[in-house]
Amino acid sequence: MNPRYLAITGGVGGAKLCVGLARLLGPDQLSFLVNTGDDFEHLGLHVSPDIDTLTYALADLSNPETGWGRRDESWHFIETLRGLGGEGWFNLGDRDLALHVLRSQWLRAGIGLAEVTDRLRKAHGIAHAILPMSDDPVRTEVHTHAGTLAFQHYFVRERCAPAVTGFSFAGAESATLNVQARAWLADPTLAGVIVCPSNPFVSIDPILAIPGLRAALRDCPAPVVAVSPIVAGLAIKGPTAKMMEELRVPQTAVAVASHYEDILDGFVLDAQDEALIPALAARDLPAIATPSVMVTLDDKTALARTTLAFIHSLYAP
Ligand code: FO1
């Protein structure tokens, strides 16, 4: 049986590495465990942004400028909705809308999010399993000086402007981990877990908040390796560095490694942060440095290949 890998991901940055991994590993060797803490009910629809961002990335349908939503999009629906006085702050494209309508229809029929997601990834011709972290609702709440905001209200409506003081993941304590992900983590052929370069606070932490997952990652014999979302003190995309500043956490890759510490066996730094390798070694965390800014497909594949080689170097079964 071929060695298996589980990638833990959320958001645009994580999806890029997932595309690289999917070019190297087939569906019997690689599955994706995805954040659903960003999900929300909007305009009567259930929207799952991180599942959709990964779906479009794997189907090569992503909008290259934003990383979310589809390219070749049109906006007649949302422009008309705004004109009628509806909530227009969350840009739903006309083609993207079909995905939200179909998901919402199936969920209303009582079909679970994992099954809905499996139907939709197959409908997009995607061979790899996309595993929502749970079928149970988990909602990221952003605590700010101006009060608590639902994630999309913070991220899109308020454009990440409010200073954050913390996060909570409503429903996580009673959420059940996706069954297939649990099976992969217990599988003796599991050869590695990759924590993708996503926002640790709002893309990865909601997943790690699912009861049993941190313990399963600590106990699994396969190496757990994270790829840093922070390069030379900056986030490649999104509010990670801004959140770290507001949380009084150093905006460094070392701080990200510390954030994950109890579950990590290795850490992948960007080439610009090579000087941080000794600091991580001093914490018994093996690290490598390699180019990690992913623009082209080759960049994504190269980072995936280097990460897998690093995992192999750590894995003494
Ligand atoms: N992000 C934005 O910054 N503005 C938007 O209008 C927006 C719309 C949108 C529609 C569908 C979808 O799947 C994602 C969308 N996103 C938008 C991205 C989304 O808010 C974030 O990607 C995740 O929630 C965090 O990574």
Side-chain angles (χ1 to χ4, degrees):
M1 170 77 86
N2 288 331
R4 285 177 154 182
Y5 301 85
L6 185 69
I8 298 178
T9 185
V12 171
K16 289 182 176 179
L17 181 57
C18 293
V19 168
L21 290 165
R23 279 184 38 105
L24 300 175
L25 298 167
D28 58 329
Q29 287 192 272
L30 173 67
S31 283
F32 303 106
L33 182 59
V34 192
N35 172 43
T36 59
D38 295 4
D39 288 20
F40 74 132
E41 300 299 316
H42 186 57
L43 305 173
L45 298 167
H46 179 112
V47 179
S48 297
D50 282 359
I51 293 175
D52 294 350
T53 293
L54 179 59
T55 300
Y56 289 144
L58 293 172
D60 192 17
L61 288 171
S62 295
N63 176 326
E65 277 77 49
T66 56
W68 53 264
R70 296 174 64 128
R71 64 168 179 273
D72 307 330
E73 191 53 281
S74 56
W75 306 95
H76 301 296
F77 160 76
I78 198 67
E79 284 164 2
T80 305
L81 184 82
R82 278 191 203 108
L84 297 174
E87 280 189 86
W89 56 270
F90 193 75
N91 292 300
L92 290 170
D94 297 332
R95 298 181 194 281
D96 187 35
L97 189 56
L99 176 51
H100 306 299
V101 168
L102 194 49
R103 169 184 289 119
S104 304
Q105 190 181 4
W106 283 337
L107 289 171
R108 259 196 299 278
I111 299 162
L113 188 56
E115 170 62 24
V116 168
T117 303
D118 204 47
R119 292 184 186 186
L120 290 170
R121 63 101 178 167
K122 288 173 181 168
H124 283 89
I126 294 166
H128 293 85
I130 297 176
L131 312 174
M133 66 193 199
S134 178
D135 276 12
D136 304 314
V138 178
R139 297 291 175 263
T140 297
E141 296 173 339
V142 183
H143 302 293
T144 78
H145 292 299
T148 297
L149 291 168
F151 181 78
Q152 296 300 341
H153 289 170
Y154 162 79
F155 191 87
V156 180
R157 200 188 62 193
E158 308 305 329
R159 301 181 190 288
C160 307
V164 303
T165 56
F167 307 93
S168 47
F169 311 116
E173 66 289 341
S174 54
T176 302
L177 180 64
N178 174 278
V179 171
Q180 194 171 336
R182 182 181 298 280
W184 274 51
L185 285 166
D187 188 319
T189 67
L190 184 75
V193 176
I194 300 102
V195 179
C196 293
S198 309
N199 183 312
F201 307 104
V202 293
S203 293
I204 303 296
D205 277 358
I207 307 173
L208 298 179
I210 306 284
L213 180 54
R214 287 193 93 102
L217 291 171
R218 275 197 299 271
D219 298 347
C220 91
V224 178
V225 166
V227 177
S228 179
I230 292 283
V231 170
L234 297 171
I236 302 296
K237 185 172 180 58
T240 302
K242 177 176 183 285
M243 289 178 173
M244 294 172 94
E245 184 178 9
E246 290 160 359
L247 294 171
R248 307 272 184 278
V249 170
Q251 294 126 65
T252 65
V254 172
V256 173
S258 304
H259 186 74
Y260 291 136
E261 202 139 31
D262 63 322
I263 62 166
L264 291 189
D265 302 298
F267 199 71
V268 179
L269 294 159
D270 183 77
Q272 296 174 63
D273 288 320
E274 185 170 16
L276 298 177
I277 290 178
L280 292 172
R283 301 156 177 251
D284 294 329
L285 187 62
I288 60 166
T290 187
S292 69
V293 178
M294 297 172 277
V295 177
T296 67
L297 185 52
D298 284 349
D299 296 338
K300 298 168 188 173
T301 310
L303 181 57
R305 184 174 287 113
T306 302
T307 302
L308 291 171
F310 180 43
I311 287 174
H312 297 155
S313 75
L314 295 171
Y315 192 31

